[in-house]
Amino acid sequence: MSQLQLIETLRMEDGQIERLSYHEARYENAMSHFFPDGSRRRLIDILHRHGLSVHNPTLDYPGTWKIHVDYDAGTDAVEVTSYHPKPVSSLQLVTDNDIDYSYKYADRHELYRCLEERRDCDDVIIVKDGLLTDTSYSNIALFDGSSWFTPRTPLLKGTMRAYLLDKRIIKTADIRPTDLASFKKVCLINAMLSLDQLTVPINNIKGCLMD
């Protein structure tokens, strides 16, 4: 593969690949941005070539599976593994005003650098330019008792986030650390995690909330 590698992570439930159109759109956007003169193959073609038929799902995959696609201008690799979400019960606020993860890069060193500052917490919420963004591996949505809100400017515009916004299940907002007291819980969302599947009480978010 070339030096720049990108990834897509998809959820497959009982042989059915979920929200493929959202992954296809992000894949095509990344290909057009980084490799405008490269191959015009589609993500669905990559999956088919690796034996993952979208129209005729196989029964060889009962349960929940994670499809990991590595790709660059002309090559790709696919790995399918059984998925079990890791427990997250506490989050540490970490500030990084220089981090950039606007595309789903295989190189995640900037995210890992933030994760190293989690102290005794399970993960981090990265604060950039005074606003909450993402954890080290997911978007977030916060519940105020009646509605869900997701940061208007995440590090990465995830596929589950896009789906929930399109369905008007969540709304966008600028959320600062000092706003956390207005919410009851935060939910981690990504291609593998649906809304309200993995939540953390606001009291379990550590860091200075009153800066």
Side-chain angles (χ1 to χ4, degrees), residues 153-211:
T153 53
L155 298 179
L156 178 73
K157 294 181 178 179
T159 55
M160 178 62 78
R161 176 183 180 274
Y163 170 80
L164 294 171
L165 286 171
D166 284 348
K167 295 295 183 181
R168 299 185 179 181
I169 297 172
I170 62 175
K171 309 171 187 177
T172 60
D174 292 331
I175 306 172
R176 296 170 175 78
T178 50
D179 297 327
L180 285 172
S182 301
F183 296 96
K184 297 182 179 297
K185 59 184 176 181
V186 60
C187 176
L188 281 62
I189 54 174
N190 60 23
M192 303 301 300
L193 294 170
S194 57
L195 187 66
D196 220 11
Q197 180 179 347
L198 181 56
T199 63
V200 175
I202 290 299
N203 289 341
N204 286 6
I205 300 176
K206 299 184 179 181
C208 185
L209 304 185
M210 301 306 295
D211 287 346

Side-chain angles (χ1 to χ4, degrees), residues 122-182:
D122 297 317
D123 210 304
V124 297
I125 295 178
I126 300 167
V127 180
K128 182 175 181 178
D129 299 327
L131 299 173
L132 272 59
T133 62
D134 298 331
T135 74
S136 70
Y137 71 101
S138 74
N139 294 137
I140 58 174
L142 297 100
F143 187 65
D144 67 358
S146 60
S147 300
W148 287 96
F149 295 88
T150 191
R152 194 185 314 277
T153 53
L155 298 179
L156 178 73
K157 294 181 178 179
T159 55
M160 178 62 78
R161 176 183 180 274
Y163 170 80
L164 294 171
L165 286 171
D166 284 348
K167 295 295 183 181
R168 299 185 179 181
I169 297 172
I170 62 175
K171 309 171 187 177
T172 60
D174 292 331
I175 306 172
R176 296 170 175 78
T178 50
D179 297 327
L180 285 172
S182 301

